Amino acid sequence: MAVLRSKGELQRAKFEFLLRGPKEMGVDNPLTDWVSESVWGSVQALKELEDYASLPDDLVGRSKRWREWMELERPEDEPLPGDWKRMPEFDRLLLFRALRPDRLTAAMKKFVTNMIGSKYVTSQPYDLERSFQDSTPGTPVFVFLSPGVDVVSCASLQACNLQILRLAR
């Protein structure tokens, strides 16, 4: 966001919508068969921003194309319907926030990759050997567990390689 701010391309109202995801509930939803009340409330809130004023009418008028896009497994990899595909990339994030909040993280990852590079969205594998080299008998190594990381096998392999690490049972 700092990159956009430095270029003068970050509007406060849009940034706040992205962060907060407001909803304007109580407006009749003509697309109840494929647009939830929650999503319709987000669309109503988003239309208050100048560039999105025509979004509700466009959803109704081009409902077939919008429905196809909304039902895609990975909509962030496909162009938006109609003229919406020409929107700046940050502005598309607001559409994801309103229409497909379940895919916002993936859309943001793509946005960051396109803006500043993939190294900012790719996790580096944990390197126990490197951490061990930075430690001393007086400086322990703490390992914080996260889903998908098998620290026990990594530590066991390290113990075999260095023959000095013992795991307590």
Side-chain angles (χ1 to χ4, degrees):
M1 298 307 152
V3 172
L4 292 175
R5 194 171 355 131
S6 69
K7 293 180 181 179
E9 297 176 5
L10 184 64
Q11 295 176 17
R12 184 175 183 85
K14 289 180 179 179
F15 185 63
E16 287 184 11
F17 183 92
L18 183 64
L19 289 178
R20 300 177 199 280
K23 297 179 186 330
E24 188 177 310
M25 303 308 287
V27 179
D28 288 336
N29 178 0
L31 306 169
T32 55
D33 55 326
W34 61 277
V35 176
S36 70
E37 291 300 320
S38 177
V39 167
W40 190 250
S42 293
V43 167
Q44 294 302 314
L46 185 55
K47 82 172 187 178
E48 299 302 316
L49 298 177
E50 182 180 340
D51 297 334
Y52 304 90
S54 64
L55 181 60
D57 294 334
D58 199 53
L59 283 169
V60 172
R62 298 180 188 197
S63 63
K64 182 179 184 224
R65 178 64 183 112
W66 275 106
R67 184 175 188 167
E68 289 171 359
W69 183 84
M70 294 259 302
E71 292 176 351
L72 289 169
E73 186 175 332
R74 297 178 51 88
E76 65 276 4
D77 294 335
E78 300 295 329
L80 288 159
D83 291 337
W84 300 96
K85 65 179 153 252
R86 295 189 193 117
M87 292 192 93
E89 201 163 358
F90 178 79
D91 291 359
R92 287 185 223 156
L93 292 176
L94 277 65
L95 290 170
F96 277 93
R97 177 70 155 146
L99 300 170
R100 287 294 304 268
D102 61 312
R103 299 303 301 168
L104 180 60
T105 301
M108 290 186 86
K109 184 176 181 178
K110 186 174 181 179
F111 170 75
V112 170
T113 299
N114 292 340
M115 290 296 292
I116 57 177
S118 62
K119 73 178 187 178
Y120 295 99
V121 295
T122 305
S123 298
Q124 298 298 318
Y126 179 68
D127 187 351
L128 183 61
E129 186 173 347
R130 184 171 169 212
S131 296
F132 189 77
Q133 290 171 355
D134 290 340
S135 70
T136 65
T139 307
V141 175
F142 289 94
V143 179
F144 296 94
L145 301 178
S146 62
V149 177
D150 185 8
V151 177
V152 174
S153 67
C154 183
S156 297
L157 180 62
Q158 185 70 17
C160 291
N161 288 343
L162 300 175
Q163 298 180 355
I164 57 173
L165 181 65
R166 295 183 186 219
L167 295 174
R169 290 187 186 228

